[in-house]
Amino acid sequence: MVAEGRQRIDKWLFFSRAVKSRSLAAKLVVAGRVRINRDKAAQASDLVKPGDVLTITLDRRIFVWKVLGAGARRGPSEEARTLYQDMSPPTAPKGDAPPDAIAALREAGSGRPTKKERRQTDRLRDED
């Protein structure tokens, strides 16, 4: 029997709209991309309770959410946001490049020839 205020991690991820389906939530947990209080969640049936901190890795983003309550249904996004507190670190703006990045430069004429250049070399061969 489930204790009061506790919920399966796959259901909670689905209700909080972190993923689109419970089966995707279960796959995420089994793949080791969800941590509950710094410990990897081993099974989709692991339980979360209010106060737990989840670290969720989705694509190239990392979310840190504090569980505020158990969900009753997959409702609108406003309802889903009441299930957690977002404690994720701020992301860097997309337009800024890292300070150590160097722009890729190549000299004219190096690299793959253009169609125009290929035609010119074919004409030169035909003349010979």
Side-chain angles (χ1 to χ4, degrees), residues 107-126:
E107 295 181 25
S110 67
R112 186 174 176 168
T114 64
K115 190 172 185 178
K116 183 178 180 181
E117 292 169 343
R118 287 194 309 266
R119 279 194 213 119
Q120 288 175 350
T121 56
D122 289 342
R123 285 186 196 139
L124 292 176
R125 271 191 240 143
D126 291 340

Side-chain angles (χ1 to χ4, degrees), residues 67-100:
V67 178
L68 299 179
R73 66 185 186 114
R74 182 178 168 93
S77 60
E78 294 83 22
E79 184 179 320
R81 278 189 234 118
T82 63
L83 299 178
Y84 62 89
Q85 175 187 358
D86 192 2
M87 299 169 33
S88 303
T91 58
K94 290 185 180 181
D96 295 344
D100 59 343

Side-chain angles (χ1 to χ4, degrees), residues 43-92:
Q43 303 174 15
S45 62
D46 288 349
L47 301 175
V48 293
K49 64 183 183 307
D52 285 347
V53 177
L54 303 178
T55 306
I56 306 162
T57 305
L58 290 173
D59 298 325
R60 296 182 181 179
R61 299 174 297 176
I62 297 175
F63 297 105
V64 180
W65 289 352
K66 182 176 182 180
V67 178
L68 299 179
R73 66 185 186 114
R74 182 178 168 93
S77 60
E78 294 83 22
E79 184 179 320
R81 278 189 234 118
T82 63
L83 299 178
Y84 62 89
Q85 175 187 358
D86 192 2
M87 299 169 33
S88 303
T91 58

Side-chain angles (χ1 to χ4, degrees), residues 7-22 25 65 69-77 79-84:
Q7 190 169 38
R8 288 174 55 114
I9 185 68
D10 62 339
K11 279 180 107 173
W12 191 91
L13 289 170
F14 176 61
F15 291 159
S16 68
R17 294 183 162 262
V19 290
K20 290 185 178 184
S21 68
R22 261 185 81 182
W65 289 352
R73 66 185 186 114
R74 182 178 168 93
S77 60
E79 184 179 320
R81 278 189 234 118
T82 63
L83 299 178
Y84 62 89

